[in-house]
Amino acid sequence: MHAPPLCPSRSVPTVRERAGYWTRLLPLLAALACATRVPSFARPLWNPDEGYLAVQAGLLAHGGDLYETVVDRKPPLVPWLYRAAFAVAGHESLTSVRILAVLAQLATAVILASLARRRWGDGAGRTAGVLYLLISIGLNPEDAQAATFEVFMLPCTAAAMWCADRRRPGAAGLAAGCAFLAKQTGGAVLLPVLWLCGRHGAGPVRLAAGAAAPVLGAALATDPAGFLFWTVTGSGTYASLGGSALPVLGRALTNAGVLAVACAGLLPPVLRALRVSRPGTADLWLWLAASAGAVTTGLHFFGHYYLQLLPPIALLATAALRTLPRERRSRAVLVTACCCALFLTWGLLAPRVELDHARRVADTAAQRTRPGERVLFWGMHPEAYWFAGRTPATRYLTAGLLTNYSGGRDGTLVGERYGVEGAWTVLRAELAAHPPSLVIDDSRGKPYAPDRLPTLRRLLSAAYEEVGEVDGAVLYARAGAGWSPGAGWWPQGAAVDRGARG
């Protein structure tokens, strides 16, 4: 026997009523999604994750293999999306990917609106969709406006809850598996999905089969051993705090505080709702708890991790607001809209110091090398390869994978011995087979500087000589090599569209 519905039964709307509802709501949500993402188009790149994905997509488009030619601690879905966008619109800018991000945010809002409408009525559906888009940019613009993993994960997590709410365990599992393929923490949605399916009497077998299908398919489409290593087993030291507890705690509290500002109009009614049982919210609280657990995974607390909290927050706020007087509901939405305007302004006016640094370093590398020559940017700015239009000398696009360095951590657990297992052996082989024409040490005093890494220090002293410096980055050329200015986009020789790069 099926469990009783989560909320009181309502009259089922006719097909015409449903069509009219969405005909009115979709244009509103689409306009709001576009408006909140305007800052994302205002600069060529927002953070190193976008640069990493752009370089990955370029390598994949020209015969590279994920987890072999280029590697990262992430599943393959988002690199594949970047590759597809570049195949359609070209790789000179991220405009096509930014459009996909707008569509992803719109899809998330629509799914949340549908969930809320099914439980609490037409007005709740509109509220949920609008609230989600208003708070979707409520973080540092580098985290909220970038077209990175969480943005493409959220429609899948929302779809998993939507399917589970409609007693479709197979489809819910499929959506959860796709969320995992966007980012591993997307799999946390399986906890509330499993609760919903159990409440509805749906068996876990179809749920498990649905979740496993896309994950196994992705593993077979890449390299099963590499997929398992890079997405699950190969990141042991990455989650270790070492001596960085205070910086990590500071980042966690700072980003939580920034998000609290974005949700200032919603948090009071949501917190008050904790004292009162609301129908149709138990699974949402479980979703929020599972998402909060996902945010803590790895103990890094980067701002974009917090995006995973937004869908359940929007639905819980909708449930809380619907019981309030109209005046108080309007005030909460107005405060949220004002906070959204604040973050929108921040996004348009945000400084671009690190972006400008990466551009200057990349331009220098492009001037000192020919198209087709390999270079090594030793630092945490993989976007430099994309800006310079040069082929990476190694599959490791940042020093992080080789040294375990991550932003905000101190140097306690940073060095060759803490890098990904076997990475230095692979690096030595790659640099021996294809010596880079230019090495750019962009460590600038960080714990992964070459003088702290015996292998890299020996390589530079034996085969390279210092030839200059730009913006704090030190340039090394192969000893005795001549220089010819070059330009063009890696890996082809097409001219760079500087206008599209901003």
Side-chain angles (χ1 to χ4, degrees), residues 156 178 233 250 298 301 353 359 389 391 451 454 472 499 501:
C156 301
C178 290
T233 64
F301 298 102
V353 176
R359 290 293 296 269
T391 305
D451 59 3
R501 303 282 190 85

Side-chain angles (χ1 to χ4, degrees), residues 269-460:
V270 169
L271 293 176
R272 281 195 296 270
L274 285 171
R275 302 195 300 265
V276 182
S277 176
R278 305 288 185 194
T281 61
D283 60 318
L284 303 182
W285 285 109
L286 186 57
W287 187 7
L288 181 62
S291 299
V295 171
T296 67
T297 301
L299 301 174
H300 286 263
F301 298 102
F302 294 124
H304 50 88
Y305 289 11
Y306 288 74
L307 293 172
Q308 193 164 353
L309 302 174
L310 300 183
I313 287 176
L315 288 174
L316 287 168
T318 299
L321 290 176
R322 61 186 290 268
T323 62
L324 298 179
R326 182 183 182 87
E327 180 181 349
R328 293 177 63 184
R329 290 200 305 269
S330 300
R331 185 186 308 127
V333 174
L334 178 60
V335 170
T336 306
C338 291
C339 292
C340 177
L342 177 66
F343 282 95
L344 191 60
T345 303
W346 184 9
L348 292 171
L349 302 179
R352 41 191 285 171
V353 176
E354 286 300 303
L355 173 63
D356 290 340
H357 166 80
R359 290 293 296 269
R360 286 190 291 268
V361 173
D363 288 345
T364 301
Q367 293 166 7
R368 286 183 169 269
T369 56
R370 300 183 183 93
E373 288 186 324
R374 295 173 183 261
V375 299
L376 174 63
F377 288 100
W378 185 254
M380 300 299 291
H381 287 284
E383 65 270 24
Y385 292 109
W386 185 63
F387 285 138
R390 295 296 181 263
T391 305
T394 174
R395 68 188 66 189
Y396 307 111
L397 301 184
T398 71
L401 295 174
L402 290 151
T403 65
N404 194 45
Y405 179 80
S406 176
R409 298 293 177 90
D410 64 12
T412 304
L413 297 179
V414 175
E416 290 188 26
R417 60 184 289 195
Y418 301 109
V420 173
E421 181 183 355
W424 283 93
T425 301
V426 173
L427 178 69
R428 286 192 293 267
E430 290 179 328
L431 298 185
H434 303 285
S437 299
L438 186 68
V439 177
I440 302 93
D441 171 23
D442 195 24
S443 57
R444 293 178 284 166
K446 297 294 195 305
Y448 56 85
D451 59 3
R452 303 188 183 189
L453 307 169
T455 298
L456 187 58
R457 185 175 64 245
R458 286 194 296 268
L459 169 71
L460 292 176

